Coordinates of all heavy atoms in Angstrom, one line a residue:
Chain A
G99 N -21.1 -1.9 4.0 CA -20.6 -3.0 3.6 C -19.5 -3.6 4.4 O -18.8 -4.6 4.1
L100 N -19.4 -3.1 5.7 CA -18.4 -3.6 6.6 C -18.9 -4.9 7.4 O -18.1 -5.8 7.6 CB -18.1 -2.6 7.7 CG -17.4 -1.3 7.3 CD1 -17.0 -0.4 8.3 CD2 -16.1 -1.8 6.5
W129 N -11.5 -20.1 -8.8 CA -10.1 -19.6 -8.9 C -9.2 -20.8 -9.1 O -8.3 -20.8 -9.8 CB -9.8 -19.0 -7.7 CG -10.6 -17.7 -7.2 CD1 -11.5 -17.2 -8.0 CD2 -10.7 -17.2 -6.0 NE1 -12.2 -16.2 -7.2 CE2 -11.7 -16.2 -6.0 CE3 -9.9 -17.4 -4.8 CZ2 -12.0 -15.4 -4.9 CZ3 -10.2 -16.6 -3.7 CH2 -11.3 -15.6 -3.7
I148 N 9.9 -35.0 -15.7 CA 9.6 -34.0 -14.8 C 9.8 -32.7 -15.3 O 9.2 -31.7 -14.7 CB 10.6 -34.2 -13.5 CG1 10.2 -33.3 -12.3 CG2 12.0 -34.0 -13.9 CD1 10.5 -33.8 -10.9
Q149 N 10.6 -32.5 -16.4 CA 10.8 -31.1 -16.9 C 9.5 -30.7 -17.6 O 9.2 -29.4 -17.5 CB 12.0 -31.0 -17.8 CG 13.2 -31.2 -17.0 CD 14.4 -31.6 -17.9 OE1 14.4 -31.7 -19.2 NE2 15.5 -31.9 -17.2
L159 N 0.5 -21.9 -13.2 CA 0.7 -20.7 -12.5 C 0.3 -19.4 -13.2 O -0.4 -18.5 -12.7 CB 2.2 -20.6 -12.2 CG 2.7 -19.3 -11.4 CD1 2.3 -19.4 -9.9 CD2 4.2 -19.2 -11.6
L160 N 0.6 -19.4 -14.5 CA 0.2 -18.3 -15.4 C -1.2 -18.1 -15.3 O -1.8 -17.0 -15.2 CB 0.7 -18.5 -16.7 CG 0.7 -17.3 -17.7 CD1 1.7 -16.3 -17.2 CD2 1.0 -17.8 -19.2
T163 N -2.4 -16.7 -12.1 CA -2.1 -15.3 -12.0 C -3.1 -14.4 -12.8 O -3.0 -13.2 -12.6 CB -0.7 -15.0 -12.2 OG1 -0.3 -15.5 -13.4 CG2 0.2 -15.6 -11.2
L166 N -6.8 -14.9 -10.7 CA -6.9 -14.3 -9.3 C -7.1 -12.8 -9.2 O -7.9 -12.4 -8.5 CB -5.7 -14.8 -8.4 CG -5.9 -16.3 -7.9 CD1 -4.6 -16.8 -7.4 CD2 -7.0 -16.4 -6.9
P167 N -6.1 -12.1 -9.8 CA -6.3 -10.7 -9.7 C -7.6 -10.2 -10.3 O -8.4 -9.3 -9.8 CB -5.2 -10.0 -10.6 CG -4.3 -11.1 -10.5 CD -5.0 -12.4 -10.5
M170 N -10.4 -10.7 -8.0 CA -10.3 -9.8 -6.7 C -10.7 -8.4 -7.2 O -11.2 -7.6 -6.3 CB -8.9 -9.9 -6.2 CG -8.9 -11.0 -5.4 SD -7.2 -11.5 -4.9 CE -7.5 -12.9 -4.0
A171 N -10.4 -8.1 -8.4 CA -10.9 -6.7 -8.9 C -12.4 -6.7 -9.0 O -13.0 -5.6 -9.0 CB -10.2 -6.3 -10.1
R190 N -18.2 -5.4 -0.8 CA -17.1 -4.9 -0.1 C -17.3 -3.4 0.1 O -17.8 -2.7 -0.7 CB -15.8 -5.2 -0.6 CG -15.6 -6.8 -0.7 CD -14.4 -7.1 -1.6 NE -14.5 -6.6 -2.9 CZ -13.6 -6.8 -3.9 NH1 -12.6 -7.5 -3.6 NH2 -13.9 -6.3 -5.1
N192 N -15.3 -1.0 -0.7 CA -15.1 -0.2 -2.0 C -16.1 -0.3 -3.0 O -16.3 0.5 -3.8 CB -13.6 -0.7 -2.5 CG -13.5 -2.1 -2.6 OD1 -13.7 -2.9 -1.7 ND2 -13.2 -2.6 -4.0
V195 N -18.6 2.2 -2.1 CA -18.1 3.5 -2.5 C -18.4 3.7 -3.9 O -19.0 4.7 -4.4 CB -16.8 3.8 -2.2 CG1 -16.3 5.2 -2.5 CG2 -16.5 3.6 -0.7
F203 N -16.3 8.3 10.0 CA -16.4 7.3 11.1 C -16.7 8.0 12.5 O -16.4 9.2 12.6 CB -15.1 6.6 11.2 CG -14.8 5.6 10.0 CD1 -14.2 6.2 8.9 CD2 -15.2 4.3 10.0 CE1 -13.9 5.4 7.8 CE2 -14.9 3.5 9.0 CZ -14.4 4.0 7.7
N205 N -15.3 7.3 15.4 CA -13.9 7.8 15.9 C -13.0 8.0 14.6 O -12.9 7.2 13.7 CB -13.2 6.6 16.7 CG -13.3 5.3 16.1 OD1 -14.3 5.1 15.3 ND2 -12.3 4.4 16.2
R207 N -11.0 8.4 11.5 CA -10.1 7.5 10.9 C -9.5 8.2 9.7 O -9.9 7.9 8.5 CB -10.6 6.2 10.5 CG -11.4 5.5 11.6 CD -11.7 4.1 11.3 NE -10.6 3.2 11.3 CZ -10.5 2.0 11.8 NH1 -11.6 1.6 12.3 NH2 -9.5 1.3 11.6
F209 N -5.9 9.3 7.3 CA -4.6 8.7 7.1 C -3.7 9.7 7.8 O -3.3 10.8 7.2 CB -4.4 8.6 5.6 CG -5.5 7.9 5.0 CD1 -6.2 8.5 4.0 CD2 -5.7 6.6 5.3 CE1 -7.2 7.7 3.4 CE2 -6.8 5.8 4.8 CZ -7.5 6.4 3.7
K210 N -3.3 9.6 9.0 CA -2.7 10.5 9.8 C -1.4 11.1 9.4 O -1.1 12.2 9.6 CB -2.6 10.0 11.3 CG -3.9 9.8 11.9 CD -3.8 9.5 13.3 CE -5.2 9.5 14.0 NZ -5.2 9.1 15.3
N211 N -0.6 10.3 8.7 CA 0.7 10.7 8.3 C 0.8 11.1 6.9 O 1.8 11.1 6.2 CB 1.7 9.6 8.5 CG 1.9 9.3 10.0 OD1 2.0 10.1 10.8 ND2 1.6 8.2 10.5
M212 N -0.5 11.5 6.4 CA -0.5 12.0 5.0 C -1.1 13.3 5.1 O -1.8 13.8 6.0 CB -1.4 11.2 4.2 CG -0.9 9.8 3.9 SD -2.0 8.6 3.1 CE -1.8 9.1 1.5
L215 N -4.2 17.4 1.8 CA -4.5 17.2 0.3 C -4.5 15.7 0.0 O -5.4 15.3 -0.7 CB -3.5 18.1 -0.4 CG -3.8 18.2 -2.0 CD1 -5.1 19.2 -2.1 CD2 -2.8 18.6 -2.7
E216 N -3.5 15.1 0.5 CA -3.4 13.6 0.0 C -4.6 12.9 0.6 O -5.1 11.9 0.0 CB -2.2 13.1 0.6 CG -0.8 13.4 -0.1 CD 0.4 12.9 0.4 OE1 0.6 13.1 1.6 OE2 1.2 12.3 -0.3
L219 N -7.3 13.4 -1.8 CA -6.9 12.7 -3.0 C -7.1 11.2 -2.9 O -7.7 10.6 -4.0 CB -5.4 13.0 -3.4 CG -5.2 14.4 -4.0 CD1 -3.5 14.6 -4.1 CD2 -5.7 14.6 -5.3
V220 N -6.9 10.7 -1.7 CA -7.2 9.2 -1.6 C -8.8 9.0 -1.8 O -9.2 8.1 -2.4 CB -6.7 8.7 -0.3 CG1 -7.3 7.4 -0.1 CG2 -5.2 8.7 -0.2
H223 N -9.9 8.5 -5.2 CA -9.3 7.3 -5.9 C -10.2 6.7 -7.0 O -9.6 6.6 -8.1 CB -9.2 6.3 -4.8 CG -8.4 5.0 -5.2 ND1 -7.0 5.1 -5.3 CD2 -8.8 3.8 -5.8 CE1 -6.7 3.9 -5.8 NE2 -7.6 3.1 -6.1
L224 N -11.5 6.6 -6.7 CA -12.3 5.9 -7.8 C -12.6 6.9 -8.9 O -12.9 6.5 -10.0 CB -13.6 5.4 -7.3 CG -13.4 4.2 -6.4 CD1 -14.8 3.8 -5.9 CD2 -12.9 3.1 -7.3
L226 N -10.2 9.0 -10.2 CA -9.1 8.9 -11.1 C -9.1 7.7 -11.8 O -9.2 6.6 -11.4 CB -7.9 9.2 -10.2 CG -7.9 10.4 -9.2 CD1 -6.6 10.5 -8.5 CD2 -8.2 11.7 -10.0
S228 N -6.3 6.9 -14.0 CA -5.0 6.4 -14.6 C -4.7 5.1 -14.0 O -4.8 4.8 -12.8 CB -3.9 7.5 -14.2 OG -3.9 7.7 -12.9
P230 N -1.8 1.8 -13.6 CA -0.3 1.7 -13.2 C 0.7 2.0 -14.6 O 1.6 2.7 -14.3 CB 0.0 0.3 -12.8 CG -1.4 -0.1 -12.3 CD -2.4 0.6 -13.1
V233 N 0.9 5.7 -15.0 CA 1.7 6.3 -13.9 C 3.2 6.0 -14.2 O 4.0 7.0 -14.2 CB 1.4 5.7 -12.6 CG1 2.4 6.1 -11.5 CG2 0.0 6.0 -12.1
L234 N 3.5 4.7 -14.6 CA 5.0 4.5 -14.8 C 5.5 5.3 -16.1 O 6.6 5.7 -16.1 CB 5.1 3.0 -15.2 CG 5.0 2.1 -13.9 CD1 5.1 0.6 -14.3 CD2 5.9 2.4 -12.9
L235 N 4.7 5.4 -17.1 CA 5.2 6.1 -18.2 C 4.9 7.7 -18.3 O 5.3 8.4 -19.0 CB 4.4 5.6 -19.5 CG 4.6 4.1 -19.9 CD1 3.8 3.6 -20.9 CD2 6.1 3.8 -20.1
S236 N 4.2 8.0 -17.1 CA 3.9 9.5 -16.9 C 3.3 10.1 -18.1 O 3.8 11.1 -18.7 CB 5.2 10.2 -16.5 OG 4.8 11.5 -16.0
E244 N -3.8 14.2 -12.8 CA -3.2 14.5 -11.5 C -3.4 16.1 -11.1 O -3.8 16.3 -10.1 CB -1.9 14.1 -11.5 CG -1.1 14.2 -10.2 CD -1.6 13.1 -9.1 OE1 -2.2 12.0 -9.6 OE2 -1.4 13.1 -8.0
R248 N -5.8 17.6 -8.0 CA -5.3 18.4 -7.0 C -6.1 19.7 -6.9 O -6.4 20.2 -5.8 CB -3.7 18.8 -7.3 CG -2.8 17.7 -6.7 CD -1.5 17.8 -7.2 NE -0.8 16.4 -7.1 CZ -0.1 16.1 -6.0 NH1 0.0 16.9 -5.0 NH2 0.3 14.9 -5.9
R252 N -8.4 20.7 -3.7 CA -8.2 22.0 -2.9 C -9.8 22.6 -2.8 O -10.0 23.2 -1.9 CB -7.4 22.9 -3.6 CG -6.0 22.6 -3.4 CD -5.1 23.7 -3.7 NE -3.7 23.1 -3.5 CZ -3.1 22.6 -4.6 NH1 -3.7 22.5 -5.8 NH2 -1.9 22.0 -4.5
R265 N -0.8 21.3 3.0 CA 0.4 20.5 3.3 C 0.4 20.0 4.7 O 1.4 19.3 5.1 CB 1.7 21.4 3.0 CG 2.0 21.5 1.6 CD 2.8 22.7 1.4 NE 3.1 22.9 -0.1 CZ 4.2 22.2 -0.6 NH1 5.1 21.6 0.0 NH2 4.3 22.4 -1.9
L267 N 0.0 17.9 7.8 CA -0.3 16.5 8.1 C -1.6 16.4 8.9 O -1.9 17.1 9.8 CB 0.8 15.8 8.9 CG 2.1 15.6 8.2 CD1 3.1 14.6 9.0 CD2 1.9 14.9 6.8
N270 N -1.8 16.6 12.6 CA -1.5 17.8 13.3 C -2.7 18.8 13.2 O -2.5 19.9 13.7 CB -0.3 18.6 12.6 CG 1.0 17.7 12.9 OD1 1.1 16.9 13.7 ND2 2.0 17.9 12.0
Chain B
P213 N 5.1 16.1 0.2 CA 3.7 15.4 0.0 C 3.0 16.0 -1.2 O 2.2 15.4 -1.7 CB 3.0 15.8 1.2 CG 4.1 16.0 2.2 CD 5.3 16.6 1.5
D214 N 3.4 17.3 -1.5 CA 2.6 18.0 -2.6 C 3.5 18.4 -3.7 O 3.3 19.6 -4.0 CB 2.0 19.2 -1.9 CG 1.0 19.8 -2.6 OD1 0.5 19.2 -3.8 OD2 0.5 21.0 -2.5
Q217 N 2.3 20.1 -7.0 CA 1.8 21.5 -7.0 C 2.6 22.5 -7.8 O 1.9 23.4 -8.4 CB 1.7 21.9 -5.5 CG 1.0 23.2 -5.3 CD 1.3 23.8 -4.1 OE1 2.2 23.5 -3.4 NE2 0.3 24.7 -3.6
Y327 N 20.6 -26.5 -19.5 CA 19.6 -27.0 -20.4 C 20.0 -26.8 -21.9 O 19.3 -27.1 -22.8 CB 18.2 -26.3 -20.3 CG 17.5 -26.9 -19.0 CD1 17.5 -26.2 -17.8 CD2 16.7 -28.1 -19.1 CE1 16.8 -26.6 -16.7 CE2 16.1 -28.5 -18.0 CZ 16.1 -27.9 -16.8 OH 15.4 -28.3 -15.7
L346 N 4.9 -12.9 -11.5 CA 3.8 -14.0 -11.5 C 3.7 -14.7 -10.1 O 2.7 -15.0 -9.5 CB 3.9 -14.9 -12.6 CG 3.8 -14.4 -14.0 CD1 3.8 -15.5 -15.1 CD2 2.4 -13.8 -14.2
F347 N 5.1 -15.1 -9.7 CA 5.1 -15.9 -8.4 C 4.6 -14.9 -7.3 O 3.9 -15.3 -6.3 CB 6.6 -16.3 -8.1 CG 6.7 -17.6 -8.7 CD1 7.3 -17.7 -10.0 CD2 6.3 -18.8 -8.1 CE1 7.5 -19.0 -10.5 CE2 6.5 -20.0 -8.6 CZ 7.2 -20.1 -9.9
I349 N 2.3 -12.6 -7.5 CA 0.9 -12.6 -7.5 C 0.2 -13.9 -7.0 O -0.7 -14.0 -6.2 CB 0.3 -12.4 -8.9 CG1 0.7 -10.9 -9.3 CG2 -1.2 -12.6 -9.0 CD1 0.4 -10.7 -10.8
A350 N 0.9 -15.0 -7.4 CA 0.5 -16.3 -7.0 C 0.6 -16.5 -5.5 O -0.2 -17.1 -4.8 CB 1.2 -17.5 -7.6
A353 N -2.0 -13.5 -3.9 CA -3.4 -13.5 -4.0 C -4.2 -14.3 -2.8 O -5.1 -13.8 -2.3 CB -3.8 -14.1 -5.3
R357 N -5.3 -11.5 2.2 CA -6.4 -11.2 3.2 C -5.8 -11.0 4.6 O -6.4 -10.5 5.5 CB -7.4 -12.2 3.1 CG -8.2 -12.2 1.9 CD -8.5 -13.6 1.3 NE -9.1 -13.5 0.0 CZ -10.4 -13.2 -0.2 NH1 -11.2 -13.2 0.7 NH2 -10.7 -13.2 -1.4
D383 N 16.7 -32.7 -10.7 CA 16.6 -32.8 -12.1 C 16.4 -31.5 -12.7 O 16.9 -31.2 -13.9 CB 15.3 -33.6 -12.4 CG 15.6 -35.1 -12.0 OD1 16.8 -35.5 -11.9 OD2 14.7 -35.8 -11.8
L384 N 15.7 -30.5 -12.1 CA 15.3 -29.3 -12.6 C 16.5 -28.2 -12.3 O 16.7 -27.4 -13.4 CB 14.1 -28.8 -12.0 CG 12.8 -29.6 -12.5 CD1 11.6 -29.0 -11.7 CD2 12.5 -29.5 -13.9
L425 N 10.9 5.3 -12.0 CA 9.5 4.6 -12.1 C 9.0 4.7 -10.6 O 7.7 5.0 -10.4 CB 9.6 3.2 -12.5 CG 10.0 3.1 -14.0 CD1 10.0 1.6 -14.4 CD2 9.2 4.0 -14.9
R428 N 7.7 8.1 -9.6 CA 6.4 8.3 -10.3 C 5.3 7.6 -9.5 O 4.2 8.2 -9.3 CB 6.5 7.9 -11.8 CG 7.2 8.9 -12.6 CD 7.1 8.4 -14.0 NE 8.0 9.3 -14.8 CZ 8.2 9.1 -16.0 NH1 8.0 8.0 -16.7 NH2 8.9 9.9 -16.8
D431 N 4.2 9.3 -6.2 CA 3.3 10.5 -6.1 C 2.2 10.3 -6.9 O 1.6 11.3 -7.4 CB 4.2 11.7 -6.6 CG 5.3 12.1 -5.6 OD1 5.2 11.6 -4.5 OD2 6.1 13.0 -5.9
S432 N 1.6 9.0 -7.1 CA 0.5 8.9 -7.9 C -0.8 8.4 -7.2 O -0.6 8.2 -5.9 CB 0.9 7.8 -9.1 OG 1.0 6.6 -8.4
R433 N -1.8 8.2 -7.8 CA -3.0 7.6 -7.3 C -2.6 6.3 -6.6 O -3.1 6.0 -5.5 CB -3.9 7.4 -8.5 CG -5.1 6.5 -8.2 CD -5.8 6.3 -9.6 NE -7.1 5.8 -9.4 CZ -7.3 4.5 -9.8 NH1 -6.2 3.8 -10.3 NH2 -8.5 3.9 -9.6
R436 N -0.4 6.7 -3.4 CA -1.3 7.2 -2.3 C -2.2 6.1 -1.7 O -2.5 6.0 -0.5 CB -2.1 8.4 -2.7 CG -1.5 9.8 -2.9 CD -2.4 10.8 -3.3 NE -3.3 10.7 -4.4 CZ -2.9 11.2 -5.6 NH1 -1.8 11.9 -5.7 NH2 -3.7 10.9 -6.6
A437 N -2.7 5.2 -2.7 CA -3.6 4.1 -2.3 C -2.6 3.3 -1.3 O -3.1 2.7 -0.3 CB -4.1 3.3 -3.4
A440 N -2.3 4.9 2.0 CA -3.5 4.9 2.7 C -3.9 3.6 3.3 O -4.2 3.4 4.5 CB -4.8 5.3 1.8
E443 N -1.7 3.3 6.4 CA -2.2 4.0 7.4 C -3.4 3.5 8.2 O -3.5 3.5 9.5 CB -2.5 5.5 7.0 CG -1.3 6.4 6.5 CD -0.5 6.8 7.5 OE1 -1.0 7.3 8.5 OE2 0.8 6.6 7.4
D444 N -4.3 3.1 7.4 CA -5.7 2.6 7.9 C -6.4 1.9 6.9 O -7.0 2.5 5.9 CB -6.5 3.9 8.5 CG -7.7 3.4 9.2 OD1 -8.2 2.3 8.8 OD2 -8.2 4.1 10.0
L446 N -9.1 0.0 6.8 CA -10.5 0.1 6.9 C -10.9 1.4 6.3 O -11.8 1.5 5.3 CB -11.0 0.0 8.2 CG -12.6 0.2 8.3 CD1 -13.2 -1.0 7.7 CD2 -13.0 0.2 9.8
A447 N -10.2 2.5 6.5 CA -10.6 3.8 6.0 C -10.2 3.8 4.4 O -11.0 4.4 3.7 CB -9.8 5.0 6.8
A448 N -9.2 3.2 4.2 CA -8.8 3.2 2.7 C -9.8 2.5 2.0 O -10.3 2.9 0.9 CB -7.4 2.5 2.5
A449 N -10.3 1.3 2.5 CA -11.4 0.6 1.8 C -12.7 1.4 1.6 O -13.4 1.5 0.7 CB -11.8 -0.8 2.4
S450 N -13.0 2.2 2.8 CA -14.2 3.0 2.7 C -14.0 4.3 1.8 O -14.8 5.1 1.7 CB -14.6 3.5 4.2 OG -14.8 2.3 4.9
G452 N -12.9 3.7 -1.2 CA -13.1 3.2 -2.4 C -11.9 2.5 -3.0 O -11.8 2.1 -4.3
I453 N -10.8 2.3 -2.1 CA -9.6 1.5 -2.7 C -10.0 0.0 -2.6 O -10.4 -0.4 -1.4 CB -8.4 1.9 -1.8 CG1 -8.1 3.4 -2.1 CG2 -7.3 1.1 -2.1 CD1 -7.1 4.0 -1.2
N454 N -9.7 -0.8 -3.6 CA -9.9 -2.2 -3.5 C -8.5 -2.6 -2.9 O -7.5 -2.7 -3.5 CB -9.9 -2.7 -4.9 CG -10.2 -4.1 -5.0 OD1 -9.9 -4.9 -3.9 ND2 -10.7 -4.7 -6.0
I456 N -7.4 -5.4 -1.7 CA -6.7 -6.7 -2.0 C -5.9 -6.4 -3.4 O -4.7 -6.7 -3.4 CB -7.7 -7.8 -2.1 CG1 -8.2 -8.0 -0.8 CG2 -7.0 -8.9 -2.7 CD1 -9.2 -9.1 -0.7
T457 N -6.5 -5.9 -4.4 CA -5.8 -5.8 -5.6 C -4.7 -4.8 -5.5 O -3.6 -4.8 -6.0 CB -6.7 -5.3 -6.8 OG1 -7.5 -4.3 -6.3 CG2 -7.5 -6.4 -7.4
L461 N -0.7 -5.5 -6.1 CA 0.1 -4.9 -7.0 C 1.4 -4.5 -6.4 O 2.4 -4.5 -6.9 CB -0.7 -3.5 -7.5 CG -0.2 -3.0 -8.8 CD1 -0.3 -4.0 -9.9 CD2 -1.1 -1.8 -9.1
R575 N 7.3 12.1 6.9 CA 6.0 11.6 7.7 C 6.4 10.6 8.7 O 5.9 10.6 9.9 CB 5.0 11.1 6.7 CG 5.4 10.0 5.9 CD 4.3 9.6 4.9 NE 4.4 10.1 3.6 CZ 3.6 10.9 3.0 NH1 2.6 11.5 3.7 NH2 3.7 11.3 1.8
R578 N 7.9 12.1 11.9 CA 6.8 12.7 12.8 C 6.1 11.6 13.5 O 5.7 11.6 14.7 CB 5.9 13.5 12.1 CG 6.6 14.9 11.7 CD 5.6 15.8 11.0 NE 6.3 16.2 9.8 CZ 6.0 17.3 9.2 NH1 4.7 17.9 9.6 NH2 6.4 17.7 8.2
E579 N 5.9 10.5 12.8 CA 5.1 9.3 13.4 C 5.8 8.7 14.5 O 5.1 8.4 15.5 CB 5.0 8.2 12.2 CG 4.0 7.2 12.6 CD 4.1 6.2 11.4 OE1 4.3 6.6 10.3 OE2 3.8 5.0 11.6
E589 N -3.5 7.5 21.4 CA -4.6 7.6 20.4 C -4.3 6.7 19.3 O -5.3 6.0 18.8 CB -4.5 9.1 19.9 CG -5.5 9.4 19.0 CD -5.1 10.8 18.4 OE1 -4.2 11.5 19.0 OE2 -5.7 11.1 17.4
D594 N -10.5 0.7 19.8 CA -11.7 0.7 18.8 C -11.2 0.1 17.5 O -11.9 -0.6 16.8 CB -12.1 2.1 18.4 CG -12.7 2.8 19.7 OD1 -13.3 2.2 20.4 OD2 -12.4 4.1 19.6
E598 N -13.4 -2.9 15.2 CA -14.2 -2.8 13.9 C -13.8 -3.8 13.0 O -12.6 -4.1 12.6 CB -14.0 -1.5 13.2 CG -15.2 -0.5 13.7 CD -15.2 0.8 13.1 OE1 -14.6 1.7 13.6 OE2 -15.9 0.9 12.1
A601 N -14.4 -6.4 6.4 CA -15.1 -7.4 5.6 C -14.1 -8.1 4.6 O -13.3 -7.4 4.1 CB -16.3 -6.8 4.9

Side-chain angles (χ1 to χ4, degrees):
Chain A
L100 291 182
W129 309 345
I148 188 149
Q149 288 164 8
L159 177 75
L160 193 68
T163 52
L166 280 169
M170 282 169 181
R190 296 170 300 183
N192 53 305
V195 179
F203 293 88
N205 45 330
R207 304 190 76 136
F209 309 119
K210 291 191 172 173
N211 297 303
M212 297 170 79
L215 188 76
E216 284 175 307
L219 284 170
V220 170
H223 187 81
L224 283 178
L226 304 181
S228 58
V233 171
L234 289 177
L235 300 175
S236 190
E244 185 73 15
R248 277 164 199 270
R252 285 199 188 84
R265 279 161 184 269
L267 288 194
N270 295 340
Chain B
D214 187 18
Q217 189 195 20
Y327 280 103
L346 291 183
F347 274 95
I349 292 171
R357 289 146 191 273
D383 294 335
L384 291 173
L425 298 186
R428 281 182 180 169
D431 289 354
S432 74
R433 168 180 187 257
R436 286 191 298 267
E443 296 286 315
D444 188 332
L446 180 64
S450 299
I453 294 170
N454 186 340
I456 294 187
T457 42
L461 204 54
R575 55 179 109 247
R578 285 183 229 196
E579 186 182 334
E589 186 189 345
D594 298 323
E598 264 188 273

